[in-house]
Amino acid sequence: MINLHLYKYNNFSQNGEDGIIEKILEISFKNKKVNTCEFGSGDIEENSNTFNLIKNDKVNYSVFIEQDFNLFERLKILKLKYPTIIPINKTIDFKKNSDDTIDRILKQNNISNNLDIMSIDIDSNDLDVYRTISEYYPKLLIIEAGRQKYGVFSEHSLDKKMNSFSSIYKCISKKYYLICYNGNLFFLNKNSFSEKHIKKNYYNDDEYHYLLHCVYLNYFKRGFIKRIMINLISKSKFLMKKIIEYK
């Protein structure tokens, strides 16, 4: 099984997502070109989970939904250099009868229902936006969580805090396998990937993923000896639970 934290790097992402995604594409997508949709990234040249794929010619199309008009105009300019970019100026709504749910926005813009990657990072109603999806389920879903401890259930729509790791996992694991957590949760679609594939390649234990995130935080800033110790500790869930205050 692969420890995806060992592959983290940033070109345009913030917490190693560029490297994590690259490794997932190698393992589960056979490095084929992918279709992506991202919203909440802002300036994609400074903060994006999918722009690295565009730069490296690994996408067929890349939808960016941006509510800020100035950032949308910058996307239009970037499209001149990177024609795979599809910029959409909309504010995503999470009311199911709205014309601006993620499904309806994509359908209105003639986006094919064959998304490989969707990245949700709006720092608020991420989980509510996910719940409106009934058609455009991506194969790989990336969604940001708050910094609450493991086992804490919190949703922005209920308490105005960021959605917690455990709340997101409880909701999304009905349709997806959790394969990594680094502040974002990475999920693979159960309809697209077999349980056998997941068990062969990834850890599939939410508590273990939470512990790995705690252990590997700032891993590449550590000295050589500390990195060796982290790698040894990470192989034992029992040890991690003993030394990490994670609940």
Side-chain angles (χ1 to χ4, degrees), residues 10-240:
N10 296 312
N11 284 335
F12 304 98
S13 59
Q14 290 188 318
N15 297 298
E17 290 86 357
D18 286 338
I20 292 172
I21 291 168
E22 182 179 88
K23 193 63 181 176
I24 294 170
L25 293 186
E26 177 191 323
I27 297 168
S28 297
F29 291 80
K30 299 180 180 177
N31 281 326
K32 74 178 183 69
K33 285 192 176 184
V34 292
N35 308 321
T36 71
C37 176
E38 183 169 4
F39 42 98
S41 58
D43 184 347
I44 67 170
E45 291 182 288
E46 299 291 331
N47 173 30
S48 170
N49 289 334
T50 60
F51 188 57
N52 190 53
L53 300 175
I54 296 168
K55 289 278 288 186
N56 288 288
D57 193 29
K58 292 184 177 181
V59 299
N60 298 307
Y61 67 76
S62 306
V63 177
F64 288 95
I65 304 173
E66 179 53 62
Q67 64 178 354
D68 183 280
F69 184 74
N70 291 328
L71 290 173
F72 169 69
E73 288 296 310
R74 290 176 70 175
L75 282 169
K76 286 168 64 178
I77 294 168
L78 266 180
K79 180 177 173 62
L80 299 175
K81 186 175 181 181
Y82 304 104
T84 57
I85 290 176
I86 303 174
I88 299 173
N89 184 212
K90 281 279 190 178
T91 299
I92 296 172
D93 200 347
F94 54 88
K95 297 181 182 67
K96 291 218 172 187
N97 60 350
S98 170
D99 286 332
D100 292 330
T101 62
I102 184 64
D103 275 353
R104 288 174 181 154
I105 289 172
L106 294 173
K107 192 174 289 187
Q108 289 159 12
N109 286 272
N110 299 314
I111 306 301
S112 63
N113 188 1
N114 186 27
L115 287 178
D116 294 297
I117 302 174
M118 180 183 288
S119 178
I120 306 176
D121 181 2
I122 56 176
D123 295 332
S124 56
N125 294 102
D126 304 54
L127 201 46
D128 298 292
V129 167
Y130 166 78
R131 286 191 176 109
T132 68
I133 299 173
S134 61
E135 296 180 50
Y136 285 81
Y137 286 105
K139 296 178 182 70
L140 170 62
L141 175 68
I142 306 165
I143 183 167
E144 186 183 29
R147 300 299 176 256
Q148 299 94 329
K149 291 190 174 185
Y150 179 80
V152 172
F153 292 93
S154 177
E155 291 192 28
H156 182 80
S157 57
L158 300 177
D159 55 25
K160 301 306 177 187
K161 298 176 183 177
M162 286 188 68
N163 301 299
S164 68
F165 169 90
S166 294
S167 289
I168 293 172
Y169 176 76
K170 182 180 179 182
C171 174
I172 296 180
S173 61
K174 296 168 187 174
K175 293 182 180 293
Y176 285 82
Y177 300 106
L178 177 66
I179 60 166
C180 188
Y181 173 56
N182 75 326
N184 287 300
L185 290 87
F186 292 76
F187 291 97
L188 286 178
N189 195 315
K190 291 181 178 179
N191 286 331
S192 302
F193 301 95
S194 68
E195 188 175 359
K196 181 180 178 182
H197 173 78
I198 300 300
K199 286 183 175 179
K200 178 182 176 183
N201 294 289
Y202 304 104
Y203 298 104
N204 188 28
D205 175 336
D206 66 307
E207 186 177 36
Y208 189 59
H209 279 301
Y210 192 93
L211 288 164
L212 284 176
H213 168 59
C214 296
V215 168
Y216 279 93
L217 201 61
N218 298 318
Y219 173 77
F220 291 103
K221 294 180 181 178
R222 310 289 186 190
F224 178 71
I225 300 299
K226 282 191 176 179
R227 290 203 301 271
I228 290 175
M229 290 175 63
I230 288 169
N231 289 334
L232 289 172
I233 291 166
S234 71
K235 296 182 186 303
S236 170
K237 184 177 176 180
F238 174 79
L239 275 179
M240 288 194 289

